[in-house]
Amino acid sequence: MDEVEVVVAHSERATLRVGDVFLKVDADQARIDAEVEAMSLAPVPTPEILWRRPPVLAIAALPGAALGRLGGPATGSSAAWAAAGAAIRTLHDAPLPPRPGRAGRSATALAAELDAECELLMTSGLLAADLVTRNRRVAEAALRPWTPAFTHGDLQIAHVFVDGDEVTGIIDWSEAGQGDALHDLATFTLGHEEHLDDVLAGYGTDVDLDVIHAWWSMRSLLAVRWLTEHGFDPFAAGCEVDVLRSRM
């Protein structure tokens, strides 16, 4: 235990690694409550909770390594991505948790948020108007009725750990709850659409690809300004702005 690694840190929360222990510090106690509850209910591997002393949650490191990260290489085999798809399907088929999650916002609320964000992106000059307008049209396909599922809500590939071709755990459950299953699938494959077929093979059922594409645009449009304001770079190669450009 030679050093403390800052995994992620911004004004809302921070995650530190000390040896084989992750310390999550969150200013919003409700997020920690939701995370603990979701991990207790999820029928997929999750990290062991070591202790909890608000505002800190200590969890054990998972075996294996994350499948990759947005903007970086994806490290897993096709079989590992298919195994992740199967794990996601297991989660989505589980009994519903008691509360709505990040993926459970209504179409009306999402449309209002999207319209406001697109306006800010264009008036600020952060993104070109044609890029915003095109992706706003693509995103509309996500604004439709859906059947609630048990969703993770922030299922980035960095949150799914594998050892070989086996999923060893899924981390960061603070956005979990009832929501749109395709939101999870789209978040998981964002920036790595070359693995979408593998994921869907493991998931085991047909999905509407137009809605997956819509969620790619939706998530990217809603994230760009927040990321920029919190010290992240959505303009880096393979990240959110490149995802938006791929829809042009």
Side-chain angles (χ1 to χ4, degrees):
M1 196 179 301
D2 296 325
E3 60 183 21
V4 175
E5 176 191 355
V6 179
V7 179
V8 64
H10 50 77
S11 60
E12 296 178 1
R13 61 188 108 169
T15 300
L16 311 175
R17 180 168 187 168
V18 185
D20 289 332
V21 178
F22 286 89
L23 302 175
K24 304 191 69 172
V25 185
D26 199 317
D28 184 349
Q29 188 60 40
R31 276 197 295 256
I32 294 293
D33 292 341
E35 180 157 13
V36 170
E37 178 184 61
M39 285 195 292
S40 72
L41 297 173
V44 295
T46 61
E48 178 189 0
I49 296 175
L50 301 176
W51 50 264
R52 181 185 182 192
R53 297 171 192 161
V56 182
L57 174 68
I59 60 176
L62 290 168
L67 265 174
R69 61 179 177 82
L70 183 62
T75 57
S77 65
S78 293
W81 284 81
I88 296 168
R89 179 63 183 273
T90 298
L91 176 67
H92 291 167
D93 285 346
L96 292 176
R99 69 182 83 196
R102 180 70 175 169
R105 289 167 292 169
S106 70
T108 300
L110 269 174
E113 182 180 356
L114 183 61
D115 287 342
E117 196 62 36
C118 288
E119 180 68 22
L120 287 169
L121 288 170
M122 291 189 290
T123 56
S124 67
L126 192 58
L127 293 180
D130 62 339
L131 185 64
V132 174
T133 301
R134 167 59 181 160
N135 278 276
R136 172 64 181 83
R137 287 199 298 268
V138 173
E140 288 178 0
L143 304 174
R144 88 283 177 223
W146 41 267
T147 301
F150 190 153
T151 54
H152 180 280
D154 189 23
L155 197 61
Q156 306 171 45
I157 59 169
H159 293 163
V160 178
F161 281 65
V162 298
D163 188 0
D165 297 335
E166 179 184 356
V167 174
T168 59
I170 300 175
I171 65 171
D172 285 357
W173 291 82
S174 61
E175 308 286 358
Q178 298 180 27
D180 179 359
L182 298 194
H183 177 283
D184 273 355
L185 289 171
T187 302
F188 185 62
T189 54
L190 184 76
H192 290 284
E193 59 184 278
E194 71 276 9
H195 288 291
L196 178 59
D197 287 345
D198 295 328
V199 173
L200 295 183
Y203 193 71
T205 188
D206 292 334
V207 304
D208 189 333
L209 294 181
D210 286 341
V211 177
I212 296 288
H213 300 161
W215 273 119
W216 287 343
S217 291
M218 176 85 74
R219 182 176 174 91
S220 298
L221 286 170
L222 294 179
V224 166
R225 192 170 57 88
W226 186 95
L227 290 168
T228 301
E229 292 174 353
H230 287 78
F232 302 99
D233 186 9
F235 292 86
C239 292
E240 285 81 1
V241 175
D242 273 356
V243 171
L244 295 172
R245 289 172 178 152
S246 72
R247 307 268 67 84
M248 297 296 285

